[in-house]
Amino acid sequence: MDARDTFDLTTGRGLIACPRCDALHVEEELQPGETARCIRCGGVLAKPRGGAFIQLIALSFTTVVLMMGAIFFPFLEISRMGFGNATSLFGVAMAFADGVLLPLVLAVMAMIVGLPVLRSFLLVYTLVPLAQGRAPYRHAARAFRWSEELRPWSMAEIFVIGTAVALVKVAGLATVHLGPAFWAFCALILVNLASRGFMCQTTIWDAIEDAGLRTDGREMAQGRTP
Amino acid sequence: MSDQPVMTAHRAGLIGCRSCGRVWPEEQETCDRCGADLVPPDRRGLQKVWAWWLAGLVMYVPANLFPMMRTQTFAGLQGSTEATILEGMVELIHYGNYDIAVIVFVASVIVPLAKFLSIAWLAMVAGQPATVEQAHARLKIYEVVEFIGRWSMIDVFVVAILSALVQLGFVASIHPGPAAVSFALSVAFTMLSAQSFDPRLIWRGLPLRSRTGHEGQD
């Protein structure tokens, strides 16, 4: 902590607290490719990547397009003794749709389809103005925070592993074929991984802040040496 | 990562935002940058952890007692079988699908139980004296619990896929059982419990100055 003019211990200006262990750090601009780690717990604080915003926007659109295919194309096909059944994702959800289990249908559909699509839209809403160097939309901060909070609840990749288990369980009972929607889902996992690699929350928060949103008078604060 | 005492936002009379990392004066209640509520790192937050933890444990009981799904072959002429989580696993082993049995066993028995134990332990030792090494170990456990929690949903998805797929009329059909709902709820509640845990509490018990020979207890 030697750059005395860049932070202020009374207002918190120019400081960052590690969300995992509360250690204080002085905020610094990082070059793309650099990584900032917490001095105490070693967690990554920031890891900006060049051109990340454009990549994230593109990957979000990819997610939505793939998800459309994943919903409406058949997912798995099954046949035994002349009886056949092909199911799309909607079929999977509708299987639970008899009365009591309706809430579970909604939850499952939300986790597999709804949340990944919603997160894509929130991310595009946040990042498009930032990537163009304009001021962010009015609710950008809220949109990005929701997108981050919903992250653990979007479970497309778990669903794919579930499919593998289901395939084996049903293999003795009937013949099963994988439909195009299954491969769309596998592609979604790769897109998701790529998106995670480009994502750096600290950089995006800084961009939202620096682009003029929520000025709060901290510019007026007097620097004080600790 | 030295043993030197570290300046934290709390010690400096400030409060850090858990959502975006921005630091504010202690009396501030919401983060002006991201809009999240600012929560001080104290043990009051543990109430929420325990509440969700208990809810998850309660739902885990019916999830194991009731059938996960009902299989009907030849319109019930060959009998319909109901399988709980454990019975389904025994069946998989019976047919020689050991690898899938292992996946199901890990996802629906080992992971939930380990999660209950880890969260309870983390919440109990949170804020108590600890050494730096212990704190690092606890943070590691917390990260694993947070990462792995969602994977228990596999079993729910398997039941959903099977009951949508195996609707072959007369020949065979599969219907979800009540355990599917309670298992899904149990997983969701434990995820919420893990999310309510504030990892900053792990570090609250570290000595202010590094005193040699002073070992934290747990």
Side-chain angles (χ1 to χ4, degrees), chain B residues 168-180:
Chain B
L168 301 177
F170 177 74
V171 181
S173 63
I174 291 180
H175 300 282

Side-chain angles (χ1 to χ4, degrees), chain A residues 30-82:
Chain A
L30 291 185
Q31 295 304 311
E34 284 183 317
T35 305
R37 287 182 178 278
C38 172
I39 51 162
R40 190 194 226 179
C41 69
V44 174
L45 290 174
K47 191 183 179 185
R49 297 270 293 266
F53 289 180
I54 297 290
Q55 301 280 0
L56 283 171
I57 292 168
L59 290 169
S60 296
F61 277 116
T62 317
T63 304
V64 175
V65 171
L66 281 173
M67 199 53 96
M68 290 302 138
I71 296 174
F72 295 111
F73 283 113
F75 188 70
L76 293 170
E77 290 164 45
I78 188 175
S79 56
R80 184 190 177 186
M81 295 170 73

Side-chain angles (χ1 to χ4, degrees), chain B:
Chain B
M1 280 189 256
S2 67
D3 282 359
Q4 288 297 309
V6 175
M7 187 56 146
T8 65
H10 185 74
R11 276 171 203 155
L14 299 163
I15 190 163
C17 173
R18 274 192 71 194
S19 161
C20 72
R22 162 66 72 210
V23 178
W24 299 101
E26 208 162 28
E27 56 277 4
Q28 187 135 352
E29 280 174 358
T30 48
C31 176
D32 277 350
R33 175 156 77 167
C34 69
D37 288 341
L38 295 174
V39 196
D42 57 30
R43 287 177 63 88
R44 268 177 296 173
L46 289 178
Q47 283 185 14
K48 226 167 145 187
V49 178
W50 284 115
W52 286 121
W53 183 86
L54 200 64
L57 195 63
V58 166
M59 291 317 286
Y60 190 63
V61 176
N64 279 283
L65 294 181
F66 287 110
M68 209 60 176
M69 57 189 185
R70 202 174 73 237
T71 315
Q72 230 172 24
T73 31
F74 294 105
L77 290 177
Q78 263 186 9
S80 65
T81 49
E82 298 195 327
T84 60
I85 293 178
L86 279 173
E87 286 165 5
M89 231 139 43
V90 171
E91 203 175 315
L92 279 172
I93 295 172
H94 183 72
Y95 288 118
N97 295 315
Y98 296 107
D99 38 357
I100 298 294
V102 167
I103 292 184
V104 175
F105 183 66
V106 169
S108 48
V109 179
I110 304 257
V111 168
L113 288 180
K115 225 165 39 171
F116 283 125
L117 289 176
S118 320
I119 297 174
W121 181 71
L122 280 174
M124 273 191 289
V125 299
Q128 285 177 13
T131 60
V132 176
E133 292 76 32
Q134 284 170 336
H136 278 290
R138 287 173 196 174
L139 186 69
K140 190 55 81 191
I141 290 173
Y142 167 75
E143 280 172 349
V144 170
V145 167
E146 212 189 18
F147 172 79
I148 222 158
R150 15 196 325 264
W151 286 91
S152 305
M153 279 292 185
I154 283 188
D155 235 31
V156 178
F157 290 149
V158 169
V159 175
I161 295 165
L162 284 181
S163 22
L165 190 63
V166 188
Q167 297 295 342
L168 301 177
F170 177 74
V171 181
S173 63
I174 291 180
H175 300 282
V181 182
S182 40
F183 192 80
L185 283 178
S186 172
V187 174
F189 289 158
T190 30
M191 280 174 70
L192 286 167
S193 175
Q195 281 173 18
S196 327
F197 183 77
D198 188 343
R200 294 176 301 180
L201 277 174
I202 294 173
W203 306 85
R204 283 294 302 279
L206 298 192
L208 277 170
R209 286 163 294 279
S210 40
R211 282 167 289 188
T212 45
H214 177 87
E215 287 292 320
Q217 72 227 21
D218 54 346

Side-chain angles (χ1 to χ4, degrees), chain A:
Chain A
M1 291 191 186
D2 42 9
R4 304 223 147 163
D5 294 334
T6 59
F7 68 95
D8 183 347
L9 268 178
T10 49
T11 60
R13 179 180 60 92
L15 292 169
I16 277 200
C18 172
R20 312 229 131 194
C21 69
D22 212 28
L24 268 185
H25 301 82
V26 177
E27 204 173 354
E28 261 178 52
E29 290 290 324
L30 291 185
Q31 295 304 311
E34 284 183 317
T35 305
R37 287 182 178 278
C38 172
I39 51 162
R40 190 194 226 179
C41 69
V44 174
L45 290 174
K47 191 183 179 185
R49 297 270 293 266
F53 289 180
I54 297 290
Q55 301 280 0
L56 283 171
I57 292 168
L59 290 169
S60 296
F61 277 116
T62 317
T63 304
V64 175
V65 171
L66 281 173
M67 199 53 96
M68 290 302 138
I71 296 174
F72 295 111
F73 283 113
F75 188 70
L76 293 170
E77 290 164 45
I78 188 175
S79 56
R80 184 190 177 186
M81 295 170 73
F83 292 88
N85 188 21
T87 188
S88 63
L89 256 184
F90 265 116
V92 175
M94 287 310 141
F96 277 116
D98 44 352
V100 191
L101 293 167
L102 190 66
L104 192 65
V105 177
L106 297 178
V108 166
M109 270 323 252
M111 286 188 289
I112 318 172
V113 177
L115 291 184
V117 171
L118 178 64
R119 286 196 58 222
S120 299
F121 278 118
L122 290 173
L123 211 54
V124 167
Y125 176 86
T126 312
L127 290 181
V128 163
L130 296 179
Q132 292 170 343
R134 291 187 287 122
Y137 293 125
R138 245 179 75 211
H139 301 291
R142 188 179 299 159
F144 186 57
R145 183 160 54 87
W146 282 357
S147 156
E148 283 305 301
E149 279 173 9
L150 291 175
R151 177 195 291 277
W153 301 97
S154 83
M155 301 190 178
E157 70 270 33
I158 298 168
F159 183 75
V160 173
I161 307 291
T163 314
V165 177
L167 275 183
V168 175
K169 275 200 166 181
V170 93
L173 200 65
T175 325
V176 185
H177 304 283
L178 295 170
F182 178 80
W183 301 112
F185 254 102
C186 292
L188 268 175
I189 297 182
L190 297 179
V191 171
N192 194 9
L193 281 177
S195 172
R196 201 168 291 192
F198 280 109
M199 173 69 79
C200 169
Q201 288 87 347
T202 317
T203 315
I204 295 179
W205 283 124
D206 273 347
I208 291 176
E209 193 175 37
D210 294 345
L213 193 74
R214 292 180 185 272
T215 45
D216 48 16
R218 274 183 301 112
E219 299 77 13
M220 314 268 292
Q222 283 292 313
R224 203 190 70 174
T225 50

